[in-house]
Amino acid sequence: MLYFDHAATTPPYDSVIDAVGEVMGRHFGNPSSIHRLGIDAERLTAKARDVVAGLLRTSADEIAFTSGGTESNNLAILGTAREYASRGKHVITTEIEHASVYECFRYLERSGFEVTYVKPDRSGIVRADDVLAAVRDDTILVSVMHVNNEIGTIQPIGRIGRALRDKRRVLFHVDAVQSVGKLPVYPGELGIDLLSASGHKIRGPKGIGLLYKRKGVSLEPILLGGGQESGLRSGTENVPAIVGLAKAFRLTMENREQSAARMAGLRKRLLARLENVPGLVFNGSAADSDMAPHIVNVSAPGIKSEVIVHALEESGIYISTKSACSSGEDRPSRVLLAMGADRQTASSGIRFSLSAEHTPEQIDKLAEAVEAAMEKLRRFR
C-alpha cells in the first residue's frame, strides 16, 4: 500500500500513540476536579499548552484546545461575528476556503451579515491588494487560509496581516490547518489575531485542535457549559488527545525545515514525472515559492476524479479528490471553478499529498501507476 493522502489525515507517530494510551490509563482524572487525579490531569494540560505556545511563539493563555480544525474555524468566525456585530456586519473571506470556513460565512449571510468573497487568480492565489481593497468602515473580520487544502497554493497572509494591524477594528483569522508543520507559522509576526490548527494533520490524534486567540480579542463562545478553556470552550478537556497533540506538534516542528525540504524535492520529482502523462492538467502556480511542499493537484478533463481515485486504489495507491471533507460529493470542485476552470476540469481534479517519509522510488511508482491508469481509462472513455 502507498498512501498519498496526507492532506486528508496523517498516520500518528508511534510515540504519540504511546503517550495517548499512557495518559488514558494513568491520568484519567477530570482536569476540573480538585483531588490529586484531577490536579495531575490539569498539570499535563498546562504543560501541553506551554509546549504548543512556545512552538508558535505565543503565550500559553492565547491557546485554547478544541475538537479540531472545524471547531476552531467555527469558533473564530462565529465567535467574532457575534461578539463584534455592534461594530459592523461586514466580513471578508475568499472563494477558495475550506468548507468549515466557507459554510460559516454562508451561515452569516443568512443571519444578516454582508460577506465579500474575494476571487483568486487562475493559479489559485488571492491577491493581498484585493483583500485589503474590500475592507470598509463596518468590516469586523477578514478570514484567509494560509495553504489551500485542495491545490496547495500559499496565500499572502503576512502581507494581509501586517496591513490590517493599522485597522484595529478588523480582526484577521487564518486557517493554518495545512500549513502548520510545513511552513513557518508565527501568529504574532504575521499580524494574525486568530489562527486554527488541527492535530491529525501533523501526525497527532484526531478529535483535537487548537485556536490561537491574541490577547485583547474577545469571542462569544459557541459551546456553553462549565466554562473550560478560560470560558472560551466549555466541555471536559480531552487530556490524552491534548498531550498527543503537543507531542506531535513538538516532533513535527523540530523537523519542519528538513521535512519541508525533502517534501519539496519529492513534489518536484512527481511533477516532472506527471508532465509526461498525456491528458493531465496541473492546477496551481508554476512557481515553487507559491506552493506548499506537500500538495500536487492535477485534472484529467473528461474523466471523473472518483474514477481515477478508484483505479489507483486497485493498485494499492490512495489519493484524494478535492478536500476529504467533500470528496464524496458528485459535483465539480468549488475551488477549481473559482480559479476559472471549466466544469470538465473542475470535475476531474485529483490531489496527491506527500509526507517526508516517502521515498523517490515510491514517487516513481505513483507516477507509473497514474500513467497506467490514465492510459486504461482513456481507452474506455
Side-chain angles (χ1 to χ4, degrees):
M1 180 196 71
L2 292 178
Y3 181 74
F4 291 99
D5 200 14
H6 284 253
T9 196
T10 57
Y13 292 107
D14 289 342
S15 58
V16 167
I17 296 173
D18 293 341
V20 170
E22 181 181 354
V23 174
M24 289 184 72
R26 296 181 55 190
H27 304 284
F28 55 84
N30 187 321
S32 297
S33 298
I34 61 173
H35 51 60
R36 181 176 58 80
L37 284 175
I39 292 170
D40 287 346
E42 170 55 29
R43 284 175 178 162
L44 286 173
T45 303
K47 183 178 179 180
R49 203 183 309 274
D50 286 339
V51 168
V52 171
L55 293 167
L56 290 175
R57 301 179 185 174
T58 67
S59 300
D61 58 2
E62 295 178 308
I63 301 296
F65 293 117
T66 68
S67 65
T70 291
E71 185 189 338
S72 295
N73 286 334
N74 274 249
L75 176 56
I77 295 163
L78 301 182
T80 296
R82 295 168 182 173
E83 181 73 18
Y84 296 102
S86 60
R87 287 187 184 177
K89 302 191 79 173
H90 177 242
V91 290
I92 299 168
T93 191
T94 82
E95 292 189 355
I96 59 172
E97 297 298 308
H98 186 271
S100 62
V101 169
Y102 189 78
E103 293 302 327
C104 281
F105 283 96
R106 294 282 298 275
Y107 169 80
L108 289 177
E109 279 189 293
R110 297 191 295 271
S111 303
F113 283 78
E114 184 180 351
V115 181
T116 297
Y117 296 94
V118 180
K119 287 184 68 66
D121 61 22
R122 293 192 68 86
S123 68
I125 297 174
V126 174
R127 295 178 66 249
D129 287 345
D130 291 345
V131 175
L132 298 171
V135 176
R136 311 184 323 204
D137 290 341
D138 60 341
T139 305
I140 59 172
L141 175 67
V142 173
S143 181
V144 178
M145 68 191 336
H146 194 180
V147 167
N148 183 269
N149 54 293
E150 283 191 36
I151 60 172
T153 45
I154 302 172
Q155 307 304 322
I157 60 167
R159 186 176 170 202
I160 296 169
R162 287 186 281 269
L164 288 176
R165 280 178 175 160
D166 297 330
K167 303 179 185 297
R168 298 193 177 278
R169 294 170 62 87
V170 182
L171 297 183
F172 184 38
H173 167 248
V174 171
D175 174 358
V177 166
Q178 290 293 345
S179 62
V180 165
K182 284 87 176 177
L183 303 176
V185 183
Y186 306 114
E189 298 172 16
L190 295 169
I192 297 170
D193 301 298
L194 299 156
L195 181 138
S196 306
S198 177
H200 74 105
K201 307 293 189 179
I202 54 170
R203 303 191 65 183
K206 294 179 179 64
I208 188 68
L210 65 90
L211 178 67
Y212 158 80
K213 180 179 72 67
R214 179 179 58 79
K215 288 179 183 176
V217 172
S218 297
L219 297 178
E220 182 174 311
I222 60 175
L223 293 176
L224 304 178
Q228 288 88 348
E229 294 302 290
S230 300
L232 193 61
R233 197 267 183 189
S234 291
T236 300
E237 292 92 344
N238 185 349
V239 181
I242 289 171
V243 171
L245 168 66
K247 191 172 190 67
F249 222 92
R250 179 177 60 79
L251 292 171
T252 299
M253 296 293 271
E254 283 178 351
N255 299 302
R256 182 189 63 77
E257 290 186 8
Q258 302 95 307
S259 295
R262 179 171 176 79
M263 286 188 289
L266 294 171
R267 181 180 182 276
K268 184 173 290 190
R269 187 184 187 96
L270 178 59
L271 285 171
R273 291 294 305 267
L274 294 180
E275 282 179 353
N276 299 320
V277 180
L280 289 185
V281 177
F282 170 68
N283 300 310
S285 172
D288 290 341
S289 58
D290 291 337
M291 303 297 295
H294 65 301
I295 295 177
V296 171
N297 188 293
V298 298
S299 290
I303 303 176
K304 286 283 189 181
S305 54
E306 291 82 0
V307 174
I308 305 172
V309 169
H310 292 310
L312 289 174
E313 186 178 3
E314 290 177 2
S315 301
I317 293 175
Y318 296 86
I319 64 167
S320 272
T321 72
K322 300 186 287 186
S323 163
C325 298
S326 59
S327 60
E329 300 173 356
D330 185 19
R331 60 186 183 189
S333 162
R334 170 172 53 82
V335 171
L336 293 179
L337 288 176
M339 291 165 53
D342 58 45
R343 291 186 70 84
Q344 272 202 340
T345 301
S347 296
S348 64
I350 54 175
R351 180 185 69 186
F352 312 101
S353 44
L354 315 177
S355 80
E357 285 71 42
H358 284 129
T359 66
E361 292 74 22
Q362 289 173 330
I363 295 296
D364 292 342
K365 287 182 180 179
L366 170 61
E368 290 164 5
V370 171
E371 185 170 14
M374 289 295 299
E375 183 177 354
K376 179 180 177 181
L377 292 171
R378 281 196 301 271
R379 289 202 303 266
F380 292 100
R381 205 161 53 173

